[in-house]
Amino acid sequence: MYCVVMKFSIFVFKIDMMFDRIKILLQKPLPGRSAHLEMAPESRIESLCNETPEQVANGRKAAILIPLYKKNGEVYTALIKRPVYDGVHSGQIAFPGGRYEPIDQDLTETALREAEEEVGINRYDVTVLGVLSKLYIPPSNFLILPVVGGISYAPDFTVQASEVDGILQVPLKTLFDERNRSVTTITNKEYGSFQAPCYLINDEIIWGATAMVINEFKKMMEDGSK
C-alpha cells in the first residue's frame, strides 16, 4: 500500500504523467477475475466462478465511466448514489453509466454519453485512457465495460435527478486505502441476507460490482508500482 500512496504523491502535481502511466498499465494484462473475486459478495462467488460464456455473451451491453481529475492537489474520482426505487440496484453507490444504445458507436461512447447525461461531465473533455475487464452482473443481466477517463479539471457536476441521488467525490488514495475496506451484511429480495466485502467511504457503503471494479483498478495500480 505504501508504494501505491507514494506513486500518487509523485503524480498529484503532474496529472498528465499519471494519466500516461495509467494508459500504459491498461494496455497490459489485467487482474480481472482474481481481483473481482476478492470483493465479490458471498452470494456472488459461486456464480462468478461458474458463469458460462453463453451467459456472458447474452448479457445486456452496458458501460461505466471511472472519471479521474485533479482537485485540492490530489487525484479524485466520482461515484454516484442511485435513487431508491423498486429495482435491484436501488440506493447503491456506482460509477456513472448505463446501457448501450443504438446511437452509440461503441461502449466507450456509451460510458461518455451516460456520464454526461447523469452528472454533466462534458464527453469531449474526457481523455479515454483505456478499459478494465468486463464484468457480468447476474441480477440485472448486464455485461458492463469499465472505461477509465482523464479530465484536466475538476468537473462542475450537475445531476440528473431521475437517475442520481447524489455524487461522492473521493481521492483515489482514500478509495485505495485498506483501512476503508470492510465487510457488511446486505439484505435484498433476491438473495436474502448475505455478507459482502465493501469500501466504507464518507458513511457510504460501496459493494457489489462497483467494489469489484474498484479492486481491479487498485490491483492494476499496485502491480504497476512494483
Side-chain angles (χ1 to χ4, degrees), residues 144-163:
I144 62 169
L145 177 70
V147 177
V148 183
I151 309 169
S152 62
Y153 60 91
D156 184 14
F157 295 105
T158 56
V159 302
Q160 183 181 30
S162 62
E163 298 287 341

Side-chain angles (χ1 to χ4, degrees), residues 11-193:
F11 286 133
V12 287
F13 295 107
K14 298 180 180 179
I15 195 165
D16 288 340
M17 291 177 60
M18 181 181 181
F19 289 170
D20 289 343
R21 177 62 174 160
I22 291 174
K23 188 171 184 178
I24 291 170
L25 292 175
L26 286 167
Q27 293 171 355
K28 296 182 177 182
L30 296 168
R33 181 162 298 189
S34 63
H36 293 161
L37 280 169
E38 287 185 9
M39 295 301 290
E42 182 181 72
S43 61
R44 178 76 171 90
I45 293 175
E46 184 176 354
S47 64
L48 187 64
C49 291
N50 297 325
E51 67 187 22
T52 66
E54 290 76 19
Q55 281 179 306
V56 174
N58 291 328
R60 296 183 294 169
K61 295 190 294 183
I64 58 176
L65 179 68
I66 303 174
L68 303 177
Y69 54 94
K70 184 177 175 180
K71 178 182 176 181
N72 300 329
E74 297 186 65
V75 177
Y76 272 65
T77 191
L79 301 101
I80 62 173
K81 185 170 185 177
R82 295 290 183 193
V84 175
Y85 67 103
D86 187 21
V88 295
H89 301 303
S90 173
Q92 291 184 10
I93 303 296
F95 287 105
R99 72 182 65 192
Y100 170 84
E101 299 289 352
I103 61 172
D104 300 329
Q105 291 184 358
D106 53 30
L107 284 169
T108 295
E109 187 170 334
T110 300
L112 297 176
R113 174 183 55 78
E114 287 283 345
E116 187 171 56
E117 293 174 358
E118 290 186 337
V119 296
I121 294 175
N122 187 329
R123 71 182 78 181
Y124 302 108
D125 290 345
V126 180
T127 299
V128 175
L129 305 177
V131 300
L132 292 167
S133 303
K134 290 182 178 179
L135 178 62
Y136 178 60
I137 306 175
S140 54
N141 191 34
F142 274 119
L143 178 64
I144 62 169
L145 177 70
V147 177
V148 183
I151 309 169
S152 62
Y153 60 91
D156 184 14
F157 295 105
T158 56
V159 302
Q160 183 181 30
S162 62
E163 298 287 341
V164 179
D165 198 43
I167 295 177
L168 183 64
Q169 298 189 62
V170 188
L172 277 190
K173 71 177 185 182
T174 299
L175 195 62
F176 290 173
D177 192 332
E178 285 294 315
R179 292 172 295 184
N180 294 322
R181 182 168 162 172
S182 186
V183 177
T184 190
T185 300
I186 301 294
T187 301
N188 65 27
K189 291 185 292 186
E190 184 167 359
Y191 296 105
S193 295

